[in-house]
Amino acid sequence: MAQNVPKKQMAQVIEKTGGPVEFKEIDVQQPGPDEVLVNIKFSGVCHTDLHAVNGDWPLPTKLPLVGGHEGAGVVVAKGDLVKDIEIGDHAGVK
């Protein structure tokens, strides 16, 4: 189920390690059967994101990457198996 969820969104995207961060339009992913889609209102951008851009840590960077994590927002869509969270609920993403 979803209400008024756009098909596209603007995001800061890293396409290649060490490359530029580009502000561009990307698809809004739809949640799987046991997932929720959260409209992020606030997100942290920290030194971990800088390491991901530069590729200077021991983990491979999954590209393309939209930086930021530890977000907070509102649930706007959910999969059919999700029973304990409702559209409109506030949610945090660690």
Side-chain angles (χ1 to χ4, degrees):
M1 290 191 277
Q3 294 178 313
N4 302 321
V5 177
K7 301 285 185 208
K8 300 282 186 177
Q9 65 182 343
M10 298 302 293
Q12 296 282 1
V13 181
I14 300 131
E15 296 282 352
K16 64 179 183 173
T17 302
V21 179
E22 299 178 51
F23 188 59
K24 61 190 249 179
E25 188 175 64
I26 63 172
D27 293 333
V28 172
Q29 296 181 10
Q30 295 304 307
D34 61 347
E35 298 175 329
V36 297
L37 177 65
V38 178
N39 179 337
I40 299 293
K41 302 296 185 183
F42 305 96
S43 177
V45 177
C46 70
H47 208 79
T48 303
D49 296 296
L50 181 60
H51 287 301
V53 171
N54 293 333
D56 61 358
W57 60 350
L59 303 172
T61 302
K62 296 177 184 174
L63 298 171
L65 172 70
V66 175
H69 58 282
E70 299 173 351
V74 179
V75 175
V76 295
K78 66 178 192 170
D80 293 337
L81 299 177
V82 177
K83 304 297 182 203
D84 56 346
I85 299 173
E86 297 299 327
I87 292 174
D89 283 356
H90 294 256
V93 180
K94 54 181 186 171

